[in-house]
Amino acid sequence: MKNTTIKDVAKKAEVSVTTVSRVLNNRGYISDEMKDKVMKAVDELNYTPNEIARSFFTNETKFIALIIPTTKNPYFGELTFHIEKLLAQNGYNLFICNSLNDIKNEKKYLKLLKERRVDGIIVGSHNIDISEYKNLENKIVSIEREITQEIPIIQSDNYLGGELATKELINNSCKSILCVVGDKNILTPANDRSEAYRKVVSEHGLKSNIIEIPFNYSFDKKIEIIKSILLTEKYDGVFAGDDVMAKLFINAAKDLGIEIPKKLKVIGFDGTEMIRLLNPEISTIRQPIDLLAKGAVEALINLINGREVEKQIIYPVELISSNTTRLT
Amino acid sequence: MKNTTIKDVAKKAEVSVTTVSRVLNNRGYISDEMKDKVMKAVDELNYTPNEIARSFFTNETKFIALIIPTTKNPYFGELTFHIEKLLAQNGYNLFICNSLNDIKNEKKYLKLLKERRVDGIIVGSHNIDISEYKNLENKIVSIEREITQEIPIIQSDNYLGGELATKELINNSCKSILCVVGDKNILTPANDRSEAYRKVVSEHGLKSNIIEIPFNYSFDKKIEIIKSILLTEKYDGVFAGDDVMAKLFINAAKDLGIEIPKKLKVIGFDGTEMIRLLNPEISTIRQPIDLLAKGAVEALINLINGREVEKQIIYPVELISSNTTRLT
């Protein structure tokens, strides 16, 4: 079937193409009578405006891109869900770029997004050369990533999260606590978590032990590293980078016959709906993922509409104290 | 900064806009000398072709839409990841539509996708009025959803999965087995799982017990239903609709003091990477999510390129027998 075009509508309504375009885009003065005539023709022909043609003239695409490491991870799966839902409510479509935290992938996506003329980008991925982002004409906001001074950042209160997690372990009599971080070279406010950890353990006269286990390592490699840590070091508490990491420590401890929480206490970070549902026994710091999504979408839409946006928005976190840190 | 346009390139290369367009789109005969001249100008001006303009002329957008219930669910999170990766490798961008299995949402998305002139759609969501899909001019494939006779369906061997799961429970001496299904009114090959269950229990002289717990119910409501089942009925085996449902049964049983696997054996379905990592104790039927994604992307690209596509592609599943069905 041939697509109905704006020309068919104009012919049917016996007006010019320009008039139809004006009515559809609500531009310029048009009498109510003329509007009715055009809309009647639109209805009768079941005409769907071609968004491509529209965006060619309005310089808007109503597309927003989200760059994240992977929707496989429950945190990013939930973040994607909330962002997409909020954007759809505001008339935007979301396209997804799973960068796998690979700089090459991310560069390829950024080039493509430029070609696609997306209206805006939400970045929750690796931070690559600042220059690449500076050269983009698109509006950008980031979630938990420091990109440039100009790009607004939406984040959780990571420092508070680090304090709450470390104190939860200390309050449950841990004396030798390991803090696990992701890639140290990624500039992210999540680094505040280990800063807070460092301060709290030092205030309690304890030693600071920080280990880096990069997000991109395979799960097998992560499990291998964890087992070698548990076999060679004598920790009684672990502040894991996220809940998936916490669960890997819990599973490894079980395999090695280390009792949780009796011999080892573990606390995660994120507190996604899925993890709390599947593994309610895990103590964690819950991030308000729905609020992070809302903050990012609002900031981006404000940027697109030329409004002022705060450079940093911080949302509170919450301790969920459960079986992996408490002797019941 | 003003965007460099195709006109600037034409001026610099001292050729017509049509010639530049031909070179960039590899259309019509162009001498190598002319090509070099144009590409040199493109390089010098650091020109990025405007994809919107391009798609306006080529009638291709290189956009594919994926309609799924929600990326929060681990199965759909992994499916989305694999589909996006494969599409990106083939020069397509993916945009995400979280329908939440709501018919109204799905209709809104379909209207929008028509306006957006996406090149194709992958559907893994609720099946709404067939008419809505029939009216679309886009190329469509589905994953695990029966839409129309014409739309190719990519699926797991659900019947085999149902047989393997039911036999696993019977082999571990279950006599009273409950089979949990999602919404019965969704036409999906997943219905074959309960068909296989029905056949296997009947072959073993056992009674068939099938209960519907819709996917869209809140987790609280699901847990309430599960607890009331476990309190009032005397089942010793549960074939859950998916792994999340299996975990809800396991957690509810734990809360009620019902020992697993001693008093109740539970098997799930899906076997996502995340669930196998976080909850390796759960017995499950593993679907080849990477193959489902690959099959769907290949079929869709073939459709777009006017090639023949099989109407049904079935991938094998695998039993993962673990602690929730076996007395160790």
Side-chain angles (χ1 to χ4, degrees), chain A residues 3 61 84 109 116 247 278, chain B residues 61 84 109 116 247 278:
Chain A
N3 278 336
T61 58
E84 193 274 334
Y109 277 122
R116 293 292 204 181
K247 194 67 195 349
L278 296 175
Chain B
T61 58
E84 193 275 332
Y109 278 122
R116 293 290 204 182
K247 193 66 194 352
L278 296 176

Side-chain angles (χ1 to χ4, degrees), chain A residues 271-320:
Chain A
T272 56
E273 187 186 30
M274 204 41 76
I275 292 272
R276 281 180 297 136
L277 191 77
L278 296 175
N279 294 96
E281 75 279 9
I282 300 180
S283 293
T284 188
I285 304 296
R286 195 180 76 79
Q287 297 201 58
I289 300 178
D290 51 343
L291 290 182
L292 291 171
K294 192 161 172 277
V297 168
E298 283 178 0
L300 190 58
I301 290 177
N302 281 335
L303 276 184
I304 290 169
N305 292 315
R307 290 192 284 263
E308 273 296 307
V309 172
E310 281 179 70
K311 288 297 171 235
Q312 191 183 34
I313 303 171
I314 301 179
Y315 291 101
V317 295
E318 177 195 5
L319 167 69
I320 297 177

Side-chain angles (χ1 to χ4, degrees), chain A residues 1-4 46-57 59-63 69-74 76-78 80-82 84-85 88 91-100 108-109 111-117 137 219 223 243-245 247-248 251 254 273-281, chain B residues 1-4 46-57 59-63 69-74 76-78 80-82 84-85 88 91-100 108-109 111-117 135 137 219 223 243-244 247-248 251 254 273-281:
Chain A
M1 196 192 79
K2 197 183 148 290
N3 278 336
T4 306
N46 195 17
Y47 170 66
T48 308
N50 184 336
E51 278 294 316
I52 298 167
R54 203 190 62 79
S55 58
F56 191 56
F57 295 111
N59 230 352
E60 265 185 345
T61 58
K62 292 284 176 186
F63 277 123
T70 165
T71 46
K72 279 205 267 187
N73 177 286
F76 291 110
E78 289 191 13
T80 301
F81 167 77
H82 289 292
E84 193 274 334
K85 205 177 73 170
Y92 289 92
N93 278 129
L94 180 68
F95 69 91
I96 286 283
C97 308
N98 285 297
S99 73
L100 285 171
K108 241 168 50 191
Y109 277 122
K111 185 167 169 288
L112 195 72
L113 295 180
K114 205 180 162 189
E115 290 172 10
R116 293 292 204 181
R117 303 283 195 272
E137 291 132 35
F219 287 123
I223 292 167
D243 296 327
V244 174
M245 185 61 77
K247 194 67 195 349
L248 292 182
N251 290 350
K254 200 178 274 177
E273 187 186 30
M274 204 41 76
I275 292 272
R276 281 180 297 136
L277 191 77
L278 296 175
N279 294 96
E281 75 279 9
Chain B
M1 195 191 79
K2 197 182 148 292
N3 279 336
T4 307
N46 193 20
Y47 170 67
T48 309
N50 183 335
E51 279 293 317
I52 297 168
R54 203 190 63 79
S55 57
F56 192 56
F57 295 113
N59 229 350
E60 265 185 346
T61 58
K62 292 285 177 187
F63 277 123
T70 166
T71 46
K72 279 205 267 187
N73 177 285
F76 290 110
E78 288 191 15
T80 301
F81 167 77
H82 288 292
E84 193 275 332
K85 205 178 74 172
Y92 289 91
N93 278 130
L94 180 67
F95 69 91
I96 287 283
C97 308
N98 286 298
S99 74
L100 285 171
K108 239 167 53 189
Y109 278 122
K111 185 168 170 287
L112 195 72
L113 296 180
K114 206 179 161 191
E115 291 172 10
R116 293 290 204 182
R117 303 282 196 271
N135 287 338
E137 290 131 36
F219 287 123
I223 291 168
D243 296 327
V244 174
K247 193 66 194 352
L248 292 183
N251 290 350
K254 200 178 273 175
E273 188 185 29
M274 203 42 74
I275 292 273
R276 281 181 296 134
L277 191 77
L278 296 176
N279 294 97
E281 75 281 7

Side-chain angles (χ1 to χ4, degrees), chain B residues 94-154:
Chain B
L94 180 67
F95 69 91
I96 287 283
C97 308
N98 286 298
S99 74
L100 285 171
N101 271 353
D102 180 318
I103 290 191
K104 261 192 293 180
N105 277 340
E106 197 156 334
K107 284 197 182 191
K108 239 167 53 189
Y109 278 122
L110 285 176
K111 185 168 170 287
L112 195 72
L113 296 180
K114 206 179 161 191
E115 291 172 10
R116 293 290 204 182
R117 303 282 196 271
V118 294
D119 289 345
I121 302 178
I122 300 175
V123 183
S125 189
H126 204 297
N127 54 327
I128 72 177
D129 279 347
I130 289 168
S131 61
E132 302 270 340
Y133 280 105
K134 273 202 173 145
N135 287 338
L136 283 170
E137 290 131 36
N138 308 89
K139 308 292 180 185
I140 304 177
V141 302
S142 98
I143 296 178
E144 298 275 340
R145 287 293 178 276
E146 291 160 23
I147 303 175
T148 70
Q149 294 287 327
E150 288 72 38
I151 295 175
I153 181 164
I154 320 300

